[in-house]
Amino acid sequence: MNRIDLTAKRKQRKLLFGVGLSWLFDAMDVGIISFIAAALAVEWSLGAEQIGLLAAINSIGMAVGAAVAGSMADKYGRRSVLLWTLLIFSVSSGLSALAAGFVMLCVLRFTAGFGLGGELPVASTLVSESVPPKERGRAVVLLESFWACGWIIAALIAYFIIPHYGWRIAFAIGAVPALYALYLRRAIQDSPRFTEQRSRKLSFRERVVAAWSPKYRRSTITLWILWFTVVFSYYGMFLWLPTVVMLKGFGLVKSFQYVLIMTLAQLPGYFTAAYLIERFGRKFVLVTYLLLTAVSAICFGNADTVGMLIVSGICLSFFNLGAWGAMYAYTPELYPTAVRSTGVGLAASFGRIGGVVGPYLVGMLVARQIPITSIFTVFCIAIVIGAAAVLFLGKETKGTDPDRETTDSEMSVQ
């Protein structure tokens, strides 16, 4: 390997680590919400529907943020939008510690969700564009593995800090990424592909039309179904995980302990997906991991012993988060650079609607005393639909380059 290759490798690792840490902070915030919701239910006497509403409002913000930031990243660059969304999310998270009531907390969670939802698709697009095609899938899945680290930190904060110091301290820790944004401002740059195409920017309307043009329509439909079903099931299950464990008869601290154990399984889920995605392809990993997630959801919903609860929860974390990594790797590969961030942002934004419906639906069903078994059956069915969409409608993108398959005339609006 020559000096140029070594320099490029170092830049790629620096980018992956730099963006990955911002992803870690995002996951930490989302994870903390699930634990804080369980604590607030006790301290503020919140009902199941209010807990579901809190999670849903956060997802509404993420839906709006994904669409807005995805479009802005194709116009102003990935780097600048990444930094601004990171600042918005971290400042809002820190201010959540000062919330005096439920309504104020909901407003701040919407703003935090806006920044969070905007940052995620832009970050995956930046990494996907900045590495060679043969390493692209693995790099994006490894980026996603930082999400597991963030959830693990959130679980540790919940277990060691919330019971002793309260939920406000947990939110205050969420302001730390604002300082990290100052480092990222110097550490990362826009991808070479985006920089090369700055002079050929399309309008927002042209980018949306291109994403739904005959060439990309099938891919867009596949992604929207995939994102909706995965986000619906993930946020419906995982934001309620500590509360569901409590509903199964365990105390608050014991609930946090069990969820921490389950969360640790996310890391090997990402790492196995990162290995398999370049060996067997994106479709294989997505379909396999999604179907095994569906099986795990059924087992978790039916768990009636500590052993079954923990084992099924571990499998749920392992396969669900592995599928998330594959989805983030797969999505940017279906669009050319000129519309990539917009296409990814729109898919993520539509998926976040599922993130609104999922947690709120669980709250409604729990309030009506619907069995946990039935609730997790709903998520199982949704996941199977997502797997079927990829299997029958999706195309394999391993080793492909959408920029080479697209001409300027195909991108222009007739």
Side-chain angles (χ1 to χ4, degrees):
M1 186 178 293
N2 59 41
R3 187 183 299 273
I4 296 176
D5 291 336
L6 286 172
T7 301
K9 287 284 186 183
R10 280 196 293 269
K11 286 183 178 180
Q12 291 166 15
R13 283 196 294 267
K14 184 178 180 181
L15 173 67
L16 182 61
F17 186 75
V19 177
L21 280 182
S22 68
W23 207 300
L24 179 151
F25 291 127
D26 295 342
M28 188 178 74
D29 183 77
V30 172
I32 282 175
I33 272 291
S34 69
F35 295 106
I36 285 176
L40 282 177
V42 177
E43 184 175 326
W44 284 2
S45 301
L46 300 181
E49 289 192 35
Q50 287 177 297
I51 295 174
L53 178 61
L54 181 64
I57 284 177
N58 195 68
S59 293
I60 292 172
M62 293 179 75
V64 177
V68 173
S71 172
M72 292 180 68
D74 275 333
K75 185 174 183 179
Y76 299 108
R78 285 66 163 127
R79 173 180 171 272
S80 58
V81 175
L82 178 68
L83 293 175
W84 276 109
T85 50
L86 177 60
L87 280 172
I88 291 170
F89 133 73
S90 56
V91 170
S92 299
S93 182
L95 290 175
S96 297
L98 304 176
F102 182 72
V103 174
M104 182 184 296
L105 182 59
C106 286
V107 172
L108 289 167
R109 294 321 301 167
F110 173 85
T111 310
F114 179 91
L116 177 64
E119 182 187 344
L120 295 176
V122 174
S124 61
T125 299
L126 175 60
V127 172
S128 181
E129 289 177 344
S130 301
V131 298
K134 65 179 181 179
E135 302 172 11
R136 190 173 53 205
R138 182 181 297 112
V140 176
V141 177
L142 288 176
L143 169 67
E144 260 282 289
S145 70
F146 282 86
W147 185 271
C149 297
W151 258 87
I152 292 169
I153 293 173
L156 290 171
I157 291 172
Y159 186 64
F160 290 107
I161 293 180
I162 293 178
H164 304 290
Y165 303 102
W167 56 270
R168 294 184 188 275
I169 297 298
F171 268 140
I173 294 172
V176 172
L179 300 175
Y180 183 65
L182 298 176
Y183 164 76
L184 277 186
R185 188 167 176 262
R186 293 179 175 272
I188 64 171
Q189 301 296 328
D190 272 317
S191 68
R193 290 193 175 210
F194 175 80
T195 304
E196 290 169 4
Q197 297 196 17
R198 276 185 181 274
S199 60
R200 291 184 285 168
K201 290 179 184 175
L202 303 176
S203 68
F204 175 69
R205 178 179 176 277
E206 289 173 325
R207 281 179 265 131
V208 173
V209 170
W212 282 99
S213 65
K215 184 177 179 64
Y216 299 106
R217 186 176 300 143
R218 182 168 175 170
S219 294
T220 299
I221 291 172
T222 303
L223 289 177
W224 282 37
I225 295 173
L226 174 65
W227 273 86
F228 183 91
T229 54
V230 170
V231 178
F232 167 78
S233 57
Y234 173 80
Y235 282 93
M237 292 187 295
F238 280 81
L239 287 185
W240 273 89
L241 213 52
T243 306
V244 167
V245 174
M246 290 177 65
L247 290 172
K248 286 181 175 285
F250 301 97
L252 181 66
V253 175
K254 187 63 70 173
S255 166
F256 288 174
Q257 180 183 352
Y258 290 162
V259 174
L260 171 59
I261 294 171
M262 297 172 196
T263 303
L264 293 173
Q266 294 183 11
L267 273 175
Y270 282 123
F271 294 149
T272 55
Y275 171 75
L276 295 172
I277 202 167
E278 295 297 358
R279 188 172 179 85
F280 298 108
R282 284 61 165 146
K283 287 184 64 174
F284 172 84
V285 172
L286 271 169
V287 173
T288 302
Y289 276 56
L290 285 174
L291 292 178
L292 290 172
T293 300
V295 173
S296 302
I298 288 292
C299 293
F300 186 85
N302 285 279
D304 53 6
T305 66
V306 173
M308 187 175 178
L309 183 77
I310 292 177
V311 171
S312 59
I314 286 173
C315 291
L316 192 65
S317 290
F318 182 97
F319 292 113
N320 188 274
L321 276 297
W324 265 94
M327 182 172 72
Y328 266 107
Y330 183 58
T331 305
E333 295 178 336
L334 290 169
Y335 299 106
T337 300
V339 301
R340 181 171 292 124
S341 191
T342 300
V344 175
L346 290 175
S349 179
F350 184 74
R352 298 301 171 187
I353 298 174
V356 175
V357 176
Y360 191 65
L361 176 65
V362 175
M364 289 179 58
L365 295 178
V366 169
R368 287 161 178 74
Q369 298 184 329
I370 302 298
I372 296 298
T373 302
S374 301
I375 295 173
F376 273 73
T377 300
V378 172
F379 293 127
C380 172
I381 294 170
I383 295 164
V384 170
I385 292 173
V390 176
L391 181 62
F392 297 111
L393 298 177
K395 69 175 186 177
E396 181 55 59
T397 58
K398 177 186 174 184
T400 62
D401 186 351
D403 285 328
R404 293 180 181 177
E405 301 169 2
T406 306
T407 63
D408 289 340
S409 61
E410 287 176 318
M411 282 288 92
S412 61
V413 180
Q414 301 299 322

